[in-house]
Amino acid sequence: MHLIKKILPILLLCSLQACGQVGNHRHQTVTNMEYGKISNPKVKAAIEAWQKGDRTMWLSFFTTEPRLLDDGHPRDFKKFATEAIGHERFTSIDQVEDKGMSVYGQFHSDTWGDFKTYFKFHLNASGKFDTLEIGQASY
């Protein structure tokens, strides 16, 4: 028992350090998101699906092979959706531009911590998103 009392504080300290090793990691919870700032109904619905961690609903807004640009660099969209949905989310929506197609806000990633980001949606002629641009914002 004496050994456990000595080791337990060390283990707790190590677990706290590991959590903060990448980025500014604060485990933010979102209780009230201001979706009303997003004027485009499709973007709003897609962001709501993202926030809920509903991968099926999120993917339903996109073409079968959408393009993803992460800070201008191509990425695999489906891999991104699989890995990020449910583990990444907006913690606030701070700015909306381009007739509701570009959303800027504070963002939380379980892996990378907290930072400002943008999601820029591009619609094709059939009304589906064919491109999503994401990246760190500097607004």
Side-chain angles (χ1 to χ4, degrees), residues 94-114:
D94 300 332
Q95 201 172 312
V96 180
E97 296 178 349
D98 306 320
K99 298 180 182 176
M101 299 297 288
S102 299
V103 177
Y104 298 79
Q106 298 293 322
F107 199 74
H108 174 79
S109 165
D110 292 346
T111 302
W112 304 109
D114 300 292

Side-chain angles (χ1 to χ4, degrees), residues 6-25:
K6 285 185 175 184
I7 294 175
L8 186 58
I10 294 169
L11 290 174
L12 287 173
L13 181 61
C14 290
S15 69
L16 290 173
Q17 271 186 317
C19 183
Q21 286 178 351
V22 178
N24 181 15
H25 200 114

Side-chain angles (χ1 to χ4, degrees), residues 9-139:
I10 294 169
L11 290 174
L12 287 173
L13 181 61
C14 290
S15 69
L16 290 173
Q17 271 186 317
C19 183
Q21 286 178 351
V22 178
N24 181 15
H25 200 114
R26 294 185 304 234
H27 295 282
Q28 290 191 10
T29 341
V30 180
T31 54
N32 187 19
M33 183 61 62
E34 293 185 38
Y35 297 113
K37 291 181 179 180
I38 305 171
S39 59
N40 183 288
K42 286 188 180 195
V43 171
K44 180 181 175 186
I47 292 289
E48 287 175 338
W50 177 271
Q51 293 293 108
K52 292 176 187 172
D54 188 337
R55 183 174 178 268
T56 303
M57 180 62 75
W58 167 260
L59 293 174
S60 74
F61 293 102
F62 291 86
T63 59
T64 55
E65 294 296 325
R67 193 169 83 141
L68 174 65
L69 298 173
D70 187 347
D71 284 323
H73 303 284
R75 273 184 69 190
D76 182 305
F77 180 86
K78 295 223 169 121
K79 183 177 179 185
F80 163 73
T82 300
E83 293 173 354
I85 292 177
H87 302 285
E88 298 184 1
R89 64 204 153 276
F90 281 93
T91 56
S92 69
I93 295 172
D94 300 332
Q95 201 172 312
V96 180
E97 296 178 349
D98 306 320
K99 298 180 182 176
M101 299 297 288
S102 299
V103 177
Y104 298 79
Q106 298 293 322
F107 199 74
H108 174 79
S109 165
D110 292 346
T111 302
W112 304 109
D114 300 292
F115 49 91
K116 295 177 184 176
T117 196
Y118 62 84
F119 277 30
K120 296 180 179 184
F121 296 83
H122 299 269
L123 280 173
N124 69 6
S126 68
K128 293 268 190 174
F129 300 124
D130 61 1
T131 303
L132 176 65
E133 295 179 64
I134 62 172
Q136 284 200 294
S138 60
Y139 59 94

